[in-house]
C-alpha cells in the first residue's frame, strides 16, 4: 500500500495518514505548456458576495489541461510520467504521441512509465486504451466514460473508481454499465471509455490530521446551525442546548435538508437510468 503515517512528537499531526507519493509518482515538475493559471475567488461572485460557503484562501495552484476526449485516433502514445494533480484525487500521466504532441490523461491503475497506449475504434482491450463502449467486452472495467459521443469523459474520474460493462440493451443502441455508486445505467454505443480503473485507490484512507491542512486546500470551518443565533440559522437560539424545533433539518435559508431528492423528474437522461444508486 502506498500510504504513510507521520511520526510526530506533538499532537498536531498524530492522526495523519497520507499517500506516499515517492512510491507512486515519477516527477514533481509539471509540463508548463499544459498549465493554466487559476484565480482563487474563495467562493465569491463578481460582486464579492459569498455564493459558496466554507471556501477560503488556498495554496496557489495551476490547472492541468487534461485530455478527457482521447480523440487522437490510431496514433500510439508513450507514457512519460506519472504526476500529482492538485485539482483532482487521481494521478495524471503525460503521454507523448508518435507525432510529437504531448497531452495529459487520467492515469489508470497499474499504468507505468514506458507503456504504450492508443485510442481508436478497434484497439486492444488493454489498460489505458480508449475506444467506443460498443467494442468493449462484457465484464470489462472502464473509467472516464462519455455520456454523449465526442463530449469528453464525465463519469468515473475520481481516485480508485471504475465501472463494469454488464452487456448490451435490447435495442442494441446502448450498453449497460454498473457504476461505482451501484447505479446501473445505459451508455450510448458511440460514447468512449478508457480501459481499467482510475489510479490512487488508497485515497480514501487519507486522514489530514490537522485543521491547517484543510485550510491549505481552501476549506474553511463548518459551524453547526444549532450553535448559531436565530438570526443566522433556523436551528439557532434557545436557552442552552435545544432541539432544532422542526420536523426535519433546514438549510440556513429555511429549506428542507438531508434526504431530500434534488434531481429533476423531467431530466431526459432519467430514461437511461435502469437502477438508481440507492437501489430504487
Amino acid at each position: 500500500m502506498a500510504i504513510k503515517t507521520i511520526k510526530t512528537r506533538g499532537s498536531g499531526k498524530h492522526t495523519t495518514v497520507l499517500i506516499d507519493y515517492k512510491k507512486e509518482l515519477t516527477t514533481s515538475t509539471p509540463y508548463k505548456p499544459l498549465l493554466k493559471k487559476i484565480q482563487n475567488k474563495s467562493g465569491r461572485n463578481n460582486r464579492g458576495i459569498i455564493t459558496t460557503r466554507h471556501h477560503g484562501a488556498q495554496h496557489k495552484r495551476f490547472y492541468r489541461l487534461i485530455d478527457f476526449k482521447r480523440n487522437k485516433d490510431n496514433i500510439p502514445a508513450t507514457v512519460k510520467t506519472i504526476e500529482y494533480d492538485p485539482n483532482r484525487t487521481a494521478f495524471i500521466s503525460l503521454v507523448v504521441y508518435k507525432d510529437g504532441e504531448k497531452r495529459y490523461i487520467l492515469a489508470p491503475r497499474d499504468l507505468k512509465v514506458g507503456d504504450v497506449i492508443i485510442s481508436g475504434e478497434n484497439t486492444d482491450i488493454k489498460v489505458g486504451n480508449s475506444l467506443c463502449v460498443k467494442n468493449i467486452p462484457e465484464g470489462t472495467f472502464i473509467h472516464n466514460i462519455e455520456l454523449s459521443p465526442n463530449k469528453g469523459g464525465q463519469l468515473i474520474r475520481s481516485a480508485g473508481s471504475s465501472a463494469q460493462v454488464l452487456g448490451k440493451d435490447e435495442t442494441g443502441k446502448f450498453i449497460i454499465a454498473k457504476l461505482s455508486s451501484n447505479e446501473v445505467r445505459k451508455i450510448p454505443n458511440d460514447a468512449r471509455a478508457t480501459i481499467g480503473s482510475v489510479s490512487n485507490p488508497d485515497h480514501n484512507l487519507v486522514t489530514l490530521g490537522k485543521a491547517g491542512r484543510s485550510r491549505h486546500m481552501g476549506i474553511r470551518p463548518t459551524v453547526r446551525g444549532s450553535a448559531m443565533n436565530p438570526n443566522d440559522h433556523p436551528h439557532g437560539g434557545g436557552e442552552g442546548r435545544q432541539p432544532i424545533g422542526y420536523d426535519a433539518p433546514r438549510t440556513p435559508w429555511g429549506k428542507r435538508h438531508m434526504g431530500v431528492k434534488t434531481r429533476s423528474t423531467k431530466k431526459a437522461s432519467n430514461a437511461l437510468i435502469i437502477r438508481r444508486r440507492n437501489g430504487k
Side-chain angles (χ1 to χ4, degrees), residues 132-169:
C132 294
V133 293
K134 64 184 178 183
N135 297 325
I136 300 178
E138 182 178 331
T140 306
F141 288 96
I142 54 177
H143 67 278
N144 190 37
I145 306 167
E146 292 182 331
L147 285 175
S148 57
N150 302 318
K151 191 174 182 181
Q154 293 175 272
L155 299 177
I156 314 297
R157 303 195 325 195
S158 61
S161 59
S162 63
Q164 188 175 24
V165 177
L166 299 182
K168 298 182 183 294
D169 78 328

Side-chain angles (χ1 to χ4, degrees), residues 24-266:
E24 299 285 337
L25 308 182
T26 61
T27 182
S28 59
T29 305
Y31 181 59
K32 287 187 177 180
L34 292 177
L35 299 184
K36 185 179 180 182
K37 194 171 183 179
I38 297 178
Q39 183 179 0
N40 180 23
K41 297 183 179 179
S42 299
R44 298 174 185 268
N45 64 8
N46 59 348
R47 295 190 295 153
I49 296 174
I50 294 175
T51 54
T52 306
R53 300 196 306 156
H54 312 137
H55 283 207
Q58 63 183 19
H59 196 282
K60 183 180 178 181
R61 59 177 66 172
F62 288 90
Y63 182 75
R64 278 72 168 164
L65 298 172
I66 309 294
D67 178 19
F68 292 115
K69 290 188 176 183
R70 298 290 304 273
N71 55 2
K72 199 172 177 72
D73 288 348
N74 304 319
I75 301 177
T78 304
V79 178
K80 289 297 181 184
T81 63
I82 307 291
E83 300 181 20
Y84 172 76
D85 187 346
N87 306 293
R88 63 192 71 253
T89 56
F91 299 140
I92 59 175
S93 290
L94 182 68
V95 298
V96 181
Y97 287 90
K98 200 170 184 179
D99 60 2
E101 184 180 355
K102 295 182 179 180
R103 292 187 183 184
Y104 273 128
I105 65 166
L106 286 181
R109 190 175 181 180
D110 299 328
L111 190 74
K112 296 179 176 58
V113 172
D115 288 352
V116 177
I117 59 174
I118 192 169
S119 301
E121 188 72 25
N122 298 308
T123 60
D124 296 332
I125 306 302
K126 174 187 168 186
V127 171
N129 286 357
S130 178
L131 63 160
C132 294
V133 293
K134 64 184 178 183
N135 297 325
I136 300 178
E138 182 178 331
T140 306
F141 288 96
I142 54 177
H143 67 278
N144 190 37
I145 306 167
E146 292 182 331
L147 285 175
S148 57
N150 302 318
K151 191 174 182 181
Q154 293 175 272
L155 299 177
I156 314 297
R157 303 195 325 195
S158 61
S161 59
S162 63
Q164 188 175 24
V165 177
L166 299 182
K168 298 182 183 294
D169 78 328
E170 60 278 2
T171 65
K173 297 179 180 180
F174 301 91
I175 65 107
I176 300 173
K178 182 179 181 181
L179 310 184
S180 53
S181 62
N182 287 327
E183 177 179 291
V184 178
R185 68 172 294 141
K186 299 177 183 179
I187 308 292
N189 276 342
D190 293 328
R192 292 198 178 197
T194 306
I195 305 298
S197 58
V198 186
S199 55
N200 196 17
D202 296 328
H203 174 76
N204 65 326
L205 303 176
V206 169
T207 304
L208 298 182
K210 62 177 186 177
R213 197 174 292 276
S214 290
R215 299 308 298 265
H216 300 158
M217 297 168 64
I219 304 171
R220 297 191 71 243
T222 303
V223 178
R224 294 170 297 128
S226 59
M228 299 181 186
N229 293 320
N231 62 327
D232 296 319
H233 200 284
H235 297 174
E239 296 294 331
R241 293 185 177 177
Q242 295 288 337
I244 64 174
Y246 290 89
D247 58 340
R250 294 294 197 273
T251 68
W253 305 278
K255 293 186 177 181
R256 279 175 170 262
H257 181 49
M258 298 176 66
V260 178
K261 292 184 179 180
T262 58
R263 183 179 173 89
S264 171
T265 56
K266 298 179 181 179

